[in-house]
Amino acid sequence: MTEHEEKKHEESLMEKIADKIRGHDSSSDSDDDKPSESSIKAKVFRLFGREKPVHHVLGGGKPADIFLWRNKKISAGALGVATVMWVLFELLEYHLLTLVCHLLILALALLFLWSNAMTFINKSPPNFPEVHIPKDPIMEFAQALRFEINRAFVVLRNIASGRDLKKFLSVIAGLWVLSIVGNWCNFLTLFYIVFVLLHTVPVLYEKYEDKVDPLAEKAMHEIKKQYAVFDEKVLSKIPRGPLKEKKKD
C-alpha cells in the first residue's frame, strides 16, 4: 500500500469518527430539547386558567370537602337539609318566622315535659348544657365578609370609571342574565339552584376534567375569536376613559 493510499485511508477513518461524534451530539441535543412529561402536563389547558386542583380552587378545608363529596354523609346531609328547607318555604309556602316559632314551641314543650317526667318518677332532671356563641369565628366571618364587600366596591368603581370596556360589558351582561333568571324564580329558588350546582358541578368536573378541558379550550378560542371581530368592528370605535378637556388656544 502506497503512502498516498494510507493517508487517504486515515482521512476516511477520521471523517467517520467525526460523523459519529456529531450524530451523538445531535441526538443528545434533541433529547434535551424534548419537553418532559411533567412540563407537557403543566401546559395543558385548564378551565379558567387554573393551575391548582379543584379542591384548592374551592378554598380547601371543610367547605371544599363538602362540595367535592369527600365525606358523603356530611355532603348528603347538607343537600338534604337544603332540599327540606326549599320544600317547606317554596312548595308548602311556609314562612321563616312561623317555622322558627313552631320549632321553638315543639322543642320547649318536649324539654319541659321531659324535665317534669324525670321529677315525677323520682329521677334527677336532665342537665341541659349552656350554649354560647364563640366570638372568634363570628369576628373572622365578619372580617372576611367586610374584605369581600370592599373588594367588590373597588371592582365596581373601576368599572364605572370607564377604563375597561370589556369588563364593563361582561358585568352588564351578567347582571342582565341575572335579572332574567330573577323573573323566572324567586331568591330562595335561585339560592337552592346555586347550592345544588355547587354540590354537583365541581365533583363532576373533577371526575371528567380531562374530557371537559379540551372542549372548554375550543369554546374559549371561539369566544376570543368572535370577541376580536366584535372589538375590531364595534368596540374599537367607542371612546374609552374620561373625556379630556380641550386645550385652550
Side-chain angles (χ1 to χ4, degrees):
M1 185 179 291
T2 62
E3 184 179 356
H4 179 70
E5 291 179 350
E6 289 179 358
K7 288 182 179 181
K8 190 173 182 181
H9 182 65
E10 290 177 359
E11 289 177 358
S12 62
L13 287 176
M14 293 298 294
E15 289 178 357
K16 290 180 180 179
I17 294 172
D19 291 338
K20 288 183 179 181
I21 293 173
R22 292 194 199 98
H24 182 269
D25 292 339
S26 61
S27 62
S28 61
D29 292 340
S30 62
D31 292 338
D32 294 337
D33 292 339
K34 290 182 180 179
S36 61
E37 187 177 354
S38 60
S39 63
I40 292 174
K41 290 183 178 179
K43 294 180 180 179
V44 174
F45 176 85
R46 294 299 180 190
L47 196 60
F48 305 119
R50 65 179 182 85
E51 298 178 355
K52 298 179 180 179
V54 181
H55 189 272
H56 288 280
V57 174
L58 293 175
K62 292 183 179 179
D65 292 340
I66 294 174
F67 293 143
L68 295 175
W69 293 75
R70 296 288 192 266
N71 191 328
K72 295 183 179 181
K73 292 183 179 180
I74 297 177
S75 300
L79 191 59
V81 170
T83 303
V84 170
M85 298 296 288
W86 180 77
V87 170
L88 286 174
F89 292 132
E90 186 64 23
L91 297 183
L92 301 181
E93 296 183 353
Y94 234 90
H95 297 287
L96 178 62
L97 183 60
T98 305
L99 178 64
V100 172
C101 292
H102 286 176
L103 290 177
L104 287 176
I105 290 171
L106 180 62
L108 290 174
L110 290 175
L111 294 175
F112 181 82
L113 293 174
W114 184 21
S115 300
N116 284 276
M118 292 294 103
T119 305
F120 182 75
I121 60 177
N122 297 324
K123 288 188 176 181
S124 59
N127 185 18
F128 300 112
E130 295 183 359
V131 179
H132 297 284
I133 298 177
K135 179 181 178 182
D136 292 339
I138 300 299
M139 295 300 296
E140 291 177 1
F141 175 77
Q143 290 178 358
L145 182 62
R146 171 180 168 274
F147 175 77
E148 294 297 333
I149 292 174
N150 289 335
R151 190 169 68 172
F153 284 152
V154 172
V155 172
L156 292 175
R157 180 177 176 273
N158 292 333
I159 293 172
S161 64
R163 297 172 184 171
D164 194 341
L165 184 60
K166 181 179 179 181
K167 187 179 292 185
F168 169 76
L169 293 176
S170 300
V171 171
I172 294 298
L175 292 174
W176 180 67
V177 171
L178 192 61
S179 66
I180 294 176
V181 175
N183 288 329
W184 295 342
C185 57
N186 56 21
F187 178 77
L188 180 62
T189 302
L190 180 62
F191 178 80
Y192 177 69
I193 292 172
V194 172
F195 193 80
V196 172
L197 290 177
L198 285 174
H199 278 76
T200 53
V201 174
V203 66
L204 291 175
Y205 171 70
E206 185 183 41
K207 186 176 181 180
Y208 301 105
E209 61 178 339
D210 292 335
K211 297 180 180 179
V212 174
D213 287 337
L215 298 176
E217 183 179 11
K218 294 179 181 179
M220 291 297 295
H221 179 71
E222 187 64 25
I223 290 173
K224 289 180 180 179
K225 183 179 178 181
Q226 297 298 327
Y227 176 80
V229 175
F230 181 69
D231 183 45
E232 182 181 357
K233 294 183 178 180
V234 180
L235 300 183
S236 61
K237 299 178 182 179
I238 302 175
R240 302 183 182 183
L243 296 175
K244 297 180 179 180
E245 296 182 357
K246 294 182 178 180
K247 296 182 179 180
K248 296 181 179 180
D249 295 337

